[in-house]
Amino acid sequence: MTQGSPLRLGRHEFSGEATLMMAIVNRTPDSFYDKGATWAEDKAFDRVAQVVEEGAEIVDIGGIKAAPGEFIDEDEEKRRVVSFVARVRSAFPDVVISVDTWRASVGRAVCEAGADMLNDAWGGADPELVDAAAEYDAAIVCTHTGGVTPRTRPFRIEYDDVVASAIADTTGYAARALAAGVAKESIVIDPAHDFGKNTFHSLELTRRLDEMVATGWPVLVSLSNKDFVGESLDLPVGERLTGTLAATAISALAGARIYRVHEVTETRQVVDMVNTIAGRRRPRRAIRGLA
Amino acid sequence: MRVAIIPGVLALRPEYASLEDPVAELRKAVDEARDWLGDGLLVVANGSAKRTEKAPGHFDERAAGFDAELGNALRTGDLASLRALDVALAEELWADVDALVALPGLGTVTEVQVDYDDAPYGVQYWVVRWVCPT
């Protein structure tokens, strides 16, 4: 039944069979999906309570939207996330706290406040982020962006082989994290759908995700409501859940371990169902024909 | 000698295990009876599978009466009644009684313990222990 290696995300340990829901919690006024719905700290806290109730093992707190927009300096980013991390740590000791940041200084501050995991969506743009993770024995997510600058959109980027590029860059990043002192069981790789990629790239990464899983590093996928889903179906944000769940199912079959999501309940059901079909997970309660 | 009567429930087999055991109480009773049995006689049998609308064989109004009589014979160690079971009716009711009808000569049953008596999925299960002097 084993599908992967054990994970240790800061204070929290998970078996090799575990799949994990990482719920997105935005401390931003302008993120694409919720458009500031959890900008107010109490709203963001309510969102944490809700996703924990829904069974999310991880919350991923972000203070800067990924897309281009108003410049947010380090001090403002810290103001948005550090005290919030401390509040969540205190209220929810059993949840893994991830922070979506590429900055080492922010990484250190949130780890000091109780974060377990640094989700670097920008592929190691700040080379010291791995040192911050190592100093605090935190986990790190190593993403592939094709080398783009943080908060930029892809423009006419092409790859000879996008999967080969994603594998080379994420495993290279993982090796740097390991060399910096991050524990092996605390390193996760992420092909980073839509980051430095057009829709065709993200679709190919989804289709060939098993090649990333075969590297042996645990794979995180961040598919939720993204443009590659929207463009595939010609649907706007707000109407992409079904397409997201289809991509989730393909990723689960390939063996992805962590799912960064807006919708926890639906994603959990899809991942559990796929892994049950794949024979990696038992049915919850089967009696039909067996009584 | 010791005799244990248990139902042939497929959900008890490891290849059909769920994350949450749908037959946890039955499994406990079966395991304990088998531990107690040692090298005694294990008899696999159960009552009807037509106790409710959701039962595997759907509802049959004769099922409850059939199970009541069968249960009474098991609880009292009434070997004569068991050997005289209406096997045609048993087949219609999807009851598994072949091993009961064909029990070997056990003399008399001097001690009885009923560990389980329920029909959680519309199938009547018993876990019963007998002690026979022979």
Side-chain angles (χ1 to χ4, degrees), chain B:
Chain B
M1 76 180 296
R2 290 181 172 188
V3 179
I5 300 148
I6 65 167
V9 178
L10 289 181
L12 292 169
R13 284 168 36 176
E15 64 266 39
Y16 294 127
S18 293
L19 295 174
E20 294 169 9
D21 190 355
V23 288
E25 284 182 39
L26 176 66
R27 185 185 306 278
K28 181 170 183 289
V30 166
D31 288 348
E32 289 173 359
R34 291 186 63 157
D35 288 346
W36 165 85
L37 182 65
D39 58 0
L41 177 64
L42 183 69
V43 178
V44 178
N46 54 254
S48 77
K50 298 195 175 188
R51 290 292 293 273
T52 64
E53 295 232 338
K54 294 284 190 183
H58 200 251
F59 177 72
D60 188 313
E61 61 185 9
R62 300 170 296 175
F66 176 86
D67 288 339
E69 283 190 27
L70 176 49
N72 191 50
L74 293 171
R75 271 189 297 279
T76 56
D78 182 351
L79 298 175
S81 293
L82 292 173
R83 291 194 182 101
L85 278 169
D86 183 342
V87 291
L89 180 58
E91 188 170 350
E92 283 187 50
L93 297 175
W94 295 15
D96 177 11
V97 298
D98 291 354
L100 296 173
V101 175
L103 278 171
L106 297 170
T108 55
V109 177
T110 54
E111 289 177 40
V112 178
Q113 179 175 318
V114 179
D115 296 328
Y116 191 95
D117 176 357
D118 202 358
Y121 301 106
V123 185
Q124 175 64 52
Y125 306 140
W126 292 278
V127 176
V128 179
R129 305 181 197 186
W130 289 342
V131 176
C132 308
T134 53

Side-chain angles (χ1 to χ4, degrees), chain A:
Chain A
M1 298 286 277
T2 299
Q3 81 188 80
S5 47
L7 283 165
R8 184 166 62 79
L9 307 176
R11 300 151 184 78
H12 313 274
E13 295 186 19
F14 301 94
S15 75
E17 295 98 60
T19 54
L20 307 176
M21 296 297 124
M22 171 191 260
I24 297 161
V25 178
N26 291 316
R27 286 243 53 231
T28 56
D30 47 7
S31 285
F32 83 101
Y33 185 67
D34 61 37
K35 299 180 176 61
T38 57
W39 170 226
E41 187 180 307
D42 284 346
K43 295 286 188 190
F45 191 79
D46 290 347
R47 162 81 179 157
V48 172
Q50 178 196 333
V51 297
V52 168
E53 174 71 23
E54 291 172 350
E57 289 84 1
I58 308 169
V59 292
D60 189 39
I61 298 164
I64 304 181
K65 76 164 178 172
E70 181 193 358
F71 177 75
I72 306 297
D73 66 18
E74 295 188 11
D75 288 341
E76 173 60 14
E77 187 182 1
K78 287 179 189 171
R79 270 194 293 277
R80 292 181 177 188
V81 296
V82 176
S83 63
F84 186 67
V85 165
R87 184 177 171 191
V88 173
R89 176 81 291 147
S90 169
F92 299 100
D94 296 331
V95 77
V96 178
I97 299 177
S98 168
V99 173
D100 183 345
T101 186
W102 74 87
R103 290 173 170 144
S105 65
V106 177
R108 288 193 175 90
V110 295
C111 285
E112 191 68 41
D116 298 295
M117 185 171 188
L118 300 175
N119 178 21
D120 176 14
W122 293 104
D126 183 340
E128 290 184 22
L129 192 69
V130 290
D131 301 317
E135 284 166 30
Y136 288 90
D137 200 19
I140 191 159
V141 181
C142 305
T143 55
H144 169 264
T145 64
V148 298
T149 302
R151 303 193 67 197
T152 57
R153 292 201 173 98
F155 184 60
R156 298 179 180 170
I157 294 174
E158 292 193 291
Y159 299 91
D160 289 336
D161 180 336
V162 67
V163 178
S165 175
I167 289 173
D169 286 9
T170 56
T171 59
Y173 190 170
R176 280 201 289 121
L178 199 60
V182 180
K184 185 168 187 294
E185 65 274 19
S186 300
I187 298 171
V188 175
I189 64 172
D190 173 6
H193 291 69
D194 277 6
F195 280 60
K197 297 169 191 76
N198 62 39
T199 287
F200 296 90
H201 295 142
S202 294
L203 293 171
E204 184 168 0
L205 277 163
T206 311
R207 190 162 59 241
R208 295 171 56 193
L209 194 73
D210 59 325
E211 295 175 42
M212 289 202 75
V213 172
T215 65
W217 294 104
V219 172
L220 178 152
V221 286
S222 182
L223 312 165
S224 200
N225 299 290
K226 280 186 169 172
D227 280 349
F228 83 98
V229 174
E231 291 193 348
S232 293
L233 302 176
D234 192 20
L235 288 172
V237 172
E239 298 179 32
R240 298 175 178 175
L241 176 58
T242 306
T244 296
L245 295 177
T248 300
I250 299 296
S251 303
L253 195 60
R257 299 285 304 281
I258 305 178
Y259 300 80
R260 182 175 180 273
V261 299
H262 297 103
E263 286 89 3
V264 173
T265 304
E266 293 87 344
T267 310
R268 168 52 75 194
Q269 287 183 11
V270 168
V271 171
D272 282 354
M273 188 67 210
V274 169
N275 280 316
T276 308
I277 292 168
R280 301 179 191 129
R281 173 190 178 274
R282 293 277 177 184
R284 172 65 59 195
R285 198 167 191 281
I287 193 66
R288 182 180 177 81
L290 301 172

